[in-house]
Amino acid sequence: MPAESNSSVDAIVIGAGFGGLYAVHKLRDELGLTVRGFDLAGGPGGTWWWNRYPGARCDIESIHYSYSFSDEIQREWEWSERYPAQPEILSYLEFCADKLDVRKEFTFNKRVTSTVWDDTDKTWTVTTEDGETCTARFVIAATGNVNIPKLGKEFPGLEEFAGEVYASSRWPHEGVDLTGKRVGVIGTGSTGIQIIPVIAQQAAHLTVFQRTPNYAVPLGNKPVEPPQRRWNAENWRELRAHSRDRLLGAPYENPEPSALAVDPDERRARFDELWRQGGFQFLTSSYGDLLTDERANDTAAEYVRERIRETVKDPKTAELLCPTDHPYGTKRPALETDYFLTYNRDNVELVDVRSAPIEQVTATSVRTTDREYELDVIVLATGFDAITGSLLNLGFVGRDGVALADRWADGPKTYLGISVSGFPNLFTITGPQSAVALYNNPLAIEDHVDFAAAAIKRVLDSGAATIETNEEAERAWGKEVEGILNRTLLPKANSWYMGANVPGKPRATYVFAGGAPLYRAMCADVMARDFAGFSIGDAPAPGIPPMVQLDPAVAMVVGAMLQQDMKPLEECTLEETREAIEGFALLQDPIPSSVRVVETSYRGPADERPARIYLPEGAESTGSLPVIVYFHGGGFVAGSIDACARPCGNLAAELGAIVVTPSYRLAPEAPFPAATDDTYAALCWVADTIAEHGGDPARIVVMGESAGGQLAAVAAQRARDENGPELLAQVLLYPTIDAEADTASRVEYAAGPVISADAARGMWAGYLGETSPASSVLASPARAESLAGLPPALVVSCECDPLRDEGEDYGRALEAAGVPTRVVRLEGLVHGVYNMSAYVPRVAEFNRYVAEFLQPLTSRTAVGV
Ligand code: NAP
């Protein structure tokens, strides 16, 4: 389309890389909108149009680093190498632009200088450097994350240099002949690591100016042979399956949970294997705690250092190349081809500009604080004003004349990394605080464009003019993203992930570090709730969705679960459900060694049943300790005294109480009321026998988690009604109280996370069977004729739990009946979290509340009140 000096369309797309090309196609061909695109580059390709430096190559496999939305493109395009080089990716994107016929919507060689919102017309006006304007209701900023190069502003005198200066990302299209020249490369990030081995082969002499040594793992590139190419073309669906369910958005094998849980030989063998294989799998498929546990990370970091020392002959140079100031993977992991070997060449010299920084560039040299290096060519591989730089470069001014640069003066504030309050109808594709840095970009981009298109369609269908997020949603998102980031080791590096590579740029939360599956689940939750956190027109925004309210540590656990291809509980067979519940043991802290565990048994109504007693230090000698009879959860159909062993051991240690866990018969093999009959019998047995272990039968507390909470509540009622043991208290952790509960939380958190309302219903059905009445008080203790005279109650509920309200309602009913009751709701936590102590620090809050609640009761009894 010929450029008009003043045009008006439905949507403007800025950028013609993976994001912009797909966005134009999506909006034009699927939504039927008129679209114009702008790009400063001379053609399609985005980052691959600019980055033509020697050695430029993608380090995600070609088959994964490509569009997934078009069957035709997938079938027709054949990649020639495992990892594609820049010219091939550029050709691919040109092919896609032609295939989608989107070139004609773009105006190339156009620099956008301002993008301003008009709140009267509800439109954006984009102005380009040459004065052209274009207005549109919607703007898609698809400008990428690493495209505003630093260009050597930090090197005084660079403009005086009489030789040639090249920035890696602005490499001349005709190439540069470096034969016979003295070349200096500044920078050893992903770019430096690629460019250095290639330049070393051409230049007479290469000086590498390194400020921070970088970890690099072999790339393992190789050609894709014709039979494989044909196979790929036919089987791309299989090849790409699961990509979006894995941390990085590529279908890499899941890692073992912890590098510290295996012996050093096994660990080394695993690292060896992945090193030989090459690629990102060294990080993603080795051990799951490399980015969260510094000791685990050290094992990988030391392995890489060993390989560097093995490869580089000169020990001094090898030592200089060994990274020690940041954990492995906390800067964007680099992949290398002959990088470390290059330092064995006679024409290559490594200069440490950490100990002696560059202080001046002269007409002929780079001068550090301790020496001068004569050069003919300087190559800047010094990185980018990443993530926010390209957006701030577009001169955004939103509602009320507020500039984006001012709103983000202290760092980016976004919702989902795709929307900014005060900037209606603007979508930032893989923007700040999205999964950008840790999610295979073409797929991340498709997700964002799809999200933006769905949002635009929603606005258009509603007849409203705008969609816009708000500051509350931004705050919630910022808190979530920051919380997740701080659960990782990423803040330990001065990287572009942290905004720490550009002098003066605020160190802030720029990246969502929870991985692709978690990020996608959060966005899906927003969409499923009619764009929760966004206002459409003047309608108030639906509240922040549960996935965005999760405690960050819980979010990480949920993210890890999503990567395991686990079926939702409601779709599991009985065996799978039981296996899943037992699996929670992997998420728990070990039992403190001070706790002694006694295996025993009790006589239940049907059989002799195993039970376990946890004795805190000195229990038998102290005598007369309070006793907690703890019933495990598992929806009456799963769970065991093994699955709750660690929480119970910790409970005993932290409260200084004796904890007894009886097993009980599970449904459906032993349906209702078997579980309640067993647990009540166990309670009576404890009252009769616990003195033998130093327990005080006058100070017994019943406690349970989830279905165990229901069993505890029922046991308390039976003890009252059947002249059973006198109880000191009942502690109900997120109990399921009523099979037929019809509460707001069952609707709001119907899909979970962790447990869905359907899964809960399925478990109840398994327990009650076909004939048992849900209304029986043994099934639904809330329906008891009277709740008066029951022991004091503590109900701890979790905010993001479908079963939250029924537990809280029961607590309130107890209180109304005159039972001293405390109801505590833990924000951001989920059903089952009591069993996740190794990964969720806030699990400690449960036992703190229990201790706080029981303390006055136990001490009052102890002094005989
Ligand atoms: P980068 O990772 O930011 O690395 C820049 C390098 O320049 C670092 O070694 C940095 O040292 C050094 N540097 C910056 N300012 C300096 C100064 N004033 N004095 C001395 N040294 C200085 O940038 P990049 O290598 O261009 O990579 C950026 C991103 O682009 C990558 O992380 C990746 O996402 C993408 N990329 C991908 C590929 C690929 O797919 N294979 C290839 C290239 C780039 P410090 O570490 O001390 O700051």
Side-chain angles (χ1 to χ4, degrees):
M1 161 163 132
E4 293 169 26
S5 58
N6 294 299
S7 55
S8 174
V9 287
D10 295 323
I12 295 169
V13 172
I14 310 175
F18 272 101
L21 300 181
Y22 179 50
V24 169
H25 160 69
K26 185 94 187 171
L27 300 189
R28 185 195 63 185
D29 302 337
E30 289 188 22
L31 296 193
L33 304 184
T34 53
V35 187
R36 273 200 73 187
F38 293 97
D39 198 311
L40 178 60
T47 197
W48 300 105
W49 191 92
W50 292 101
N51 282 274
R52 296 168 188 248
Y53 61 84
R57 184 180 291 285
C58 181
D59 48 22
I60 299 222
E61 289 86 341
S62 47
I63 193 78
H64 307 312
Y65 187 84
S66 46
Y67 284 131
S68 71
F69 73 89
S70 159
D71 292 7
E72 204 178 336
I73 291 175
Q74 304 241 56
R75 262 197 321 269
E76 290 184 15
W77 183 263
E78 287 188 355
W79 293 102
S80 69
E81 290 181 274
R82 180 180 177 198
Y83 296 99
Q86 176 270 335
E88 190 171 16
I89 308 174
L90 184 59
S91 302
Y92 168 78
L93 285 167
E94 288 168 345
F95 163 82
C96 295
D98 291 336
K99 197 90 208 154
L100 302 170
D101 195 21
V102 292
R103 272 186 208 251
K104 62 185 183 195
E105 316 301 355
F106 278 97
T107 309
F108 293 105
N109 300 304
K110 279 275 186 179
R111 182 191 293 279
V112 170
T113 49
S114 76
T115 311
V116 179
W117 176 252
D118 180 332
D119 208 34
T120 311
D121 291 347
K122 311 286 184 216
T123 53
W124 286 102
T125 299
V126 164
T127 306
T128 61
E129 201 170 26
D130 57 1
E132 184 185 345
T133 63
C134 181
T135 59
R137 175 138 299 169
F138 302 101
V139 169
I140 306 269
T143 40
N145 283 284
V146 280
N147 73 356
I148 306 293
K150 297 208 301 170
L151 294 181
K153 288 180 200 129
E154 298 144 75
F155 308 120
L158 184 65
E159 60 291 351
E160 313 295 330
F161 185 65
E164 301 152 63
V165 178
Y166 300 106
S168 55
S169 59
R170 298 292 179 267
W171 204 257
H173 289 201
E174 62 284 6
V176 181
D177 185 4
L178 297 171
T179 315
K181 298 198 171 144
R182 295 166 303 170
V183 181
V185 173
I186 309 177
T188 52
S190 299
T191 301
I193 284 171
Q194 288 186 334
I195 206 170
I196 285 163
V198 185
I199 292 183
Q201 287 172 33
Q202 244 190 47
H205 188 268
L206 170 63
T207 310
V208 176
F209 297 93
Q210 171 190 274
R211 185 164 67 184
T212 310
N214 217 334
Y215 299 93
V217 168
L219 181 67
N221 191 29
K222 58 185 180 194
V224 183
E225 301 299 345
Q228 180 70 40
R229 288 192 207 185
R230 281 194 295 279
W231 194 90
N232 288 354
E234 283 161 20
N235 297 283
W236 56 267
R237 268 182 222 283
E238 271 170 53
L239 280 167
R240 305 201 73 174
H242 301 304
S243 287
R244 285 181 159 91
D245 306 332
R246 296 290 181 271
L247 183 78
L248 279 193
Y252 301 147
E253 193 187 331
N254 276 327
E256 294 286 315
S258 172
L260 304 174
V262 292
D263 74 53
D265 289 344
E266 186 184 332
R267 192 168 57 221
R268 192 179 171 89
R270 183 71 184 141
F271 285 147
D272 281 345
E273 185 191 341
L274 293 167
W275 187 269
R276 268 194 305 276
Q277 197 177 314
F280 268 114
Q281 289 91 323
F282 186 81
L283 175 67
T284 60
S285 305
S286 55
Y287 299 102
D289 53 356
L290 292 192
L291 289 182
T292 52
D293 183 318
E294 207 153 358
R295 284 188 313 130
N297 189 288
D298 277 347
T299 64
E302 188 49 33
Y303 180 91
V304 178
R305 286 190 287 264
E306 273 177 36
R307 302 308 300 251
I308 296 171
R309 291 183 190 114
E310 241 170 61
T311 309
V312 179
K313 286 187 191 141
D314 173 38
K316 213 169 136 230
T317 306
E319 227 35 60
L320 264 185
L321 286 165
C322 283
T324 51
D325 79 327
H326 62 283
Y328 165 65
T330 56
K331 288 191 171 199
R332 201 272 197 180
L335 296 159
E336 59 91 29
T337 304
D338 295 342
Y339 175 67
F340 294 113
L341 278 174
T342 295
Y343 291 95
N344 293 337
R345 295 175 67 105
D346 293 338
N347 67 335
V348 176
E349 177 183 10
L350 181 65
V351 174
D352 174 19
V353 296
R354 167 81 58 207
S355 60
I358 296 171
E359 58 174 12
Q360 185 72 35
V361 178
T362 72
T364 57
S365 69
V366 167
R367 198 170 68 222
T368 69
T369 51
D370 73 356
R371 232 193 89 182
E372 193 155 349
Y373 298 86
E374 295 289 328
L375 299 170
D376 303 312
V377 179
I378 295 175
V379 174
L380 298 171
T382 44
F384 300 84
D385 179 0
I387 308 182
T388 47
S390 56
L391 291 170
L392 295 176
N393 221 30
L394 300 176
F396 277 107
V397 178
R399 195 192 293 286
D400 302 326
V402 175
L404 188 62
D406 292 334
R407 272 228 67 206
W408 285 2
D410 303 328
K413 295 172 187 67
T414 77
Y415 183 46
L416 308 177
I418 195 169
S419 181
V420 184
S421 76
F423 294 77
N425 293 357
L426 165 67
F427 300 95
T428 55
I429 302 306
T430 60
Q433 303 184 331
S434 76
V436 44
L438 296 167
Y439 185 5
N440 178 15
N441 267 235
L443 300 193
I445 282 166
E446 286 180 352
D447 287 358
H448 260 193
V449 171
D450 290 350
F451 186 102
I456 291 172
K457 183 167 183 322
R458 175 71 180 82
V459 178
L460 296 175
D461 288 350
S462 72
T466 54
I467 180 165
E468 184 184 348
T469 189
N470 54 49
E471 291 191 12
E472 188 201 345
E474 281 181 345
R475 269 194 301 278
W477 185 249
K479 194 171 150 213
E480 188 70 53
V481 181
E482 185 184 4
I484 290 173
L485 184 69
N486 288 336
R487 300 282 306 154
T488 74
L489 301 173
L490 298 194
K492 292 197 173 283
N494 290 322
S495 63
W496 62 261
Y497 291 169
M498 300 301 302
N501 67 327
V502 176
K505 187 168 177 169
R507 199 182 169 94
T509 302
Y510 292 85
V511 296
F512 177 92
L518 180 63
Y519 180 72
R520 285 171 50 73
M522 289 177 163
C523 291
D525 201 16
V526 170
M527 287 223 253
R529 289 162 196 271
D530 196 18
F531 293 92
F534 287 92
S535 299
I536 293 167
D538 295 329
I544 313 302
M547 287 297 289
V548 179
Q549 297 169 31
L550 291 182
D551 172 85
V554 170
M556 300 273 281
V557 172
V558 171
M561 286 176 169
L562 291 169
Q563 288 166 51
Q564 304 302 318
D565 306 323
M566 276 165 71
K567 275 199 239 169
L569 275 180
E570 60 272 25
E571 289 171 22
C572 287
T573 62
L574 185 63
E575 287 64 37
E576 287 167 342
T577 302
R578 288 180 176 168
E579 200 180 318
I581 302 282
E582 295 300 312
F584 274 94
L586 292 171
L587 304 176
Q588 298 164 355
D589 281 322
I591 301 173
S593 56
S594 59
V595 172
R596 196 162 76 77
V597 184
V598 177
E599 303 289 345
T600 179
S601 65
Y602 72 99
R603 183 72 219 162
D607 52 8
E608 187 72 16
R609 303 212 55 82
R612 210 167 270 164
I613 304 178
Y614 300 87
L615 299 167
E617 199 159 18
E620 276 134 330
S621 55
T622 317
S624 204
L625 286 178
V627 181
I628 296 174
V629 184
Y630 181 97
F631 304 135
H632 67 77
F636 310 103
V637 298
S640 67
I641 59 172
D642 292 332
C644 71
R646 290 170 161 212
C648 287
N650 281 294
L651 184 66
E654 284 168 28
L655 269 76
I658 293 176
V659 176
V660 186
T661 57
S663 78
Y664 55 87
R665 284 169 295 158
L666 297 179
E669 296 90 333
F672 177 84
T676 182
D677 285 346
D678 284 0
T679 45
Y680 182 61
L683 175 61
C684 297
W685 160 74
V686 171
D688 290 343
T689 60
I690 200 64
E692 293 164 25
H693 295 282
D696 180 355
R699 289 189 296 163
I700 294 180
V701 176
V702 273
M703 177 169 172
E705 183 245 356
S706 184
Q710 189 268 10
L711 294 168
V714 172
Q717 290 195 11
R718 291 184 72 168
R720 178 195 64 177
D721 300 341
E722 299 174 26
N723 285 326
E726 184 128 342
L727 297 177
L728 192 66
Q730 51 182 325
V731 175
L732 316 179
L733 307 185
Y734 43 85
T736 178
I737 283 290
D738 190 334
E740 293 175 343
D742 180 19
T743 57
S745 63
R746 284 216 186 189
V747 176
E748 191 176 358
Y749 301 99
V754 179
I755 189 174
S756 67
D758 278 349
R761 269 190 288 273
M763 289 172 163
W764 269 109
Y767 181 40
L768 296 178
E770 306 252 303
T771 51
S772 306
S775 57
S776 156
V777 289
L778 297 185
S780 302
R783 300 181 190 212
E785 223 162 76
S786 165
L787 298 177
L790 288 168
L794 170 67
V795 178
V796 187
S797 71
C798 292
E799 183 191 15
C800 306
D801 177 2
L803 309 182
R804 179 192 72 196
D805 291 351
E806 59 207 74
E808 294 182 2
D809 288 349
Y810 187 60
R812 278 187 285 273
L814 287 167
E815 198 163 20
V819 175
T821 301
R822 181 158 186 213
V823 178
V824 179
R825 179 187 289 187
L826 299 179
E827 305 292 325
L829 297 190
V830 291
H831 198 82
V833 71
Y834 192 61
N835 300 308
M836 301 178 187
S837 57
Y839 290 86
V840 182
R842 283 185 56 208
V843 170
E845 289 178 27
F846 282 88
N847 286 357
R848 274 207 295 277
Y849 280 113
V850 176
E852 205 178 284
F853 180 74
L854 293 183
Q855 201 276 331
L857 298 173
T858 49
S859 53
R860 218 180 305 144
T861 314
V863 293
V865 177

